[in-house]
Amino acid sequence: MRRKNMGIILIVVGAVLIVGGVVMVATKPNAAEQAAPQAEVVAVDDTISKPVVVEKREARVAASETPVAKPETSVAETEKPAVDQSKAKGAAFEDFVVNLLADWRLKLLDRTQDAVSTAGVVAESCKNPDLHVQQKRGKGEIDYYLECKYRSQWKDGAVTFEDWQLNRYRQFQRDNRRKVVLALGVGGSPSAPATFMLVPLDSIKGNSVKQIKTEFVVEPSSSALVEYMNTYFSKVFSKSRQKS
């Protein structure tokens, strides 16, 4: 009888072990399910049994591809380089003319400064001709003003100026009783113009200097400048005596 009870117990224990093994196998995830990426659940709608799934990676990629607006360039910024280049050429040509004054017969008395404040305020003296020159002539001296102008090329065989520019120099000449002469460079470069002219303001008819006016062409040297101005003032003084 005891043997029979022992056999029944062993049968029951074996059955329990078999049932437990089956349950463990059924609940254990397979390898494929473990390797599969799990979608990230970021929100759940209470009214729907299934969770709302958002793919964050796709959202990040889309955000990174959004074009970034470039800052706009103002009109003033686009025009600034051209203005600066023009000033640089003018300053280089003025230096070229100043270097012609390196002669014992010539003296640079003053050089007008081109200074403008940030609000656009300019001293009245900045509007004067560029160079005030003193030159020995015989036993005496003469002084005059040179206004330096450079142009990259002739246009229709002439260099044309604004009326207000020439009128301002004419008024200066009358007020100061000193002759104003345009030192004009055309072509080549500002520091080595192809054509160099000395044009007395009184000789300009209208508002332009013609290319054919070869009587104004001067060799770019100190001696040539001195000789030209001496000849010019001889004519000026001769006319003055004739009037008197």
Side-chain angles (χ1 to χ4, degrees):
M1 184 67 180
R2 293 177 63 184
R3 290 181 177 179
K4 183 178 181 180
N5 291 337
M6 183 63 70
I8 293 172
I9 292 172
L10 290 175
I11 292 172
V12 171
V13 171
V16 170
L17 292 175
I18 292 172
V19 172
V22 172
V23 172
M24 290 179 64
V25 170
T27 57
K28 184 178 180 181
N30 57 35
E33 290 176 340
Q34 289 181 336
Q38 298 298 315
E40 185 175 356
V41 178
V42 297
V44 176
D45 191 339
D46 293 335
T47 62
I48 303 175
S49 60
K50 293 183 179 180
V52 179
V53 180
V54 177
E55 293 292 342
K56 283 191 174 182
R57 182 176 177 278
E58 293 182 1
R60 287 196 295 268
V61 172
S64 65
E65 293 176 352
T66 303
V68 179
K70 295 182 179 179
E72 295 182 358
T73 304
S74 65
V75 175
E77 289 177 344
T78 57
E79 293 177 351
K80 187 176 181 180
V83 174
D84 290 345
Q85 187 177 22
S86 178
K87 285 186 176 181
K89 287 182 179 182
F93 179 68
E94 188 174 313
D95 285 342
F96 165 79
V97 177
V98 169
N99 289 336
L100 296 180
L101 306 179
D103 186 284
W104 65 273
R105 295 165 292 182
L106 297 166
K107 182 185 294 185
L108 180 60
L109 298 178
D110 192 21
R111 184 174 183 176
T112 301
Q113 300 300 313
D114 185 14
V116 183
S117 76
T118 55
V121 179
V122 181
E124 288 301 310
S125 60
C126 292
K127 301 175 183 178
N128 296 343
D130 296 318
L131 310 174
H132 186 190
V133 181
Q134 185 180 81
Q135 177 175 320
K136 291 186 178 296
R137 184 174 183 272
K139 295 182 180 181
E141 295 172 335
I142 55 175
D143 67 282
Y144 51 89
Y145 286 84
L146 294 176
E147 173 61 23
C148 305
K149 297 292 185 185
Y150 175 78
R151 297 293 184 270
S152 299
Q153 60 185 354
W154 298 96
K155 291 185 178 179
D156 298 325
V159 169
T160 302
F161 302 98
E162 297 291 341
D163 289 333
W164 63 265
Q165 288 179 310
L166 297 180
N167 290 338
R168 186 176 69 195
Y169 299 138
R170 290 181 177 118
Q171 185 62 48
F172 178 89
Q173 183 172 263
R174 288 192 294 269
D175 293 343
N176 293 272
R177 297 184 179 182
R178 293 293 183 274
K179 293 299 182 182
V180 176
V181 178
L182 295 186
L184 177 62
V186 183
S189 67
S191 57
T195 302
F196 179 62
M197 288 183 167
L198 291 173
V199 188
L201 189 61
D202 292 338
S203 301
I204 300 177
K205 306 302 180 183
N207 63 347
S208 63
V209 176
K210 304 294 184 182
Q211 186 177 5
I212 59 174
K213 294 290 186 178
T214 56
E215 64 269 25
F216 301 137
V217 177
V218 179
E219 177 189 346
S221 67
S222 301
S223 296
L225 188 151
V226 170
E227 182 179 350
Y228 180 91
M229 296 308 299
N230 278 334
T231 301
Y232 169 65
F233 274 98
S234 294
K235 295 177 181 178
V236 170
F237 294 147
S238 176
K239 290 181 179 179
S240 179
R241 286 193 292 267
Q242 290 176 1
K243 290 181 180 179
S244 60

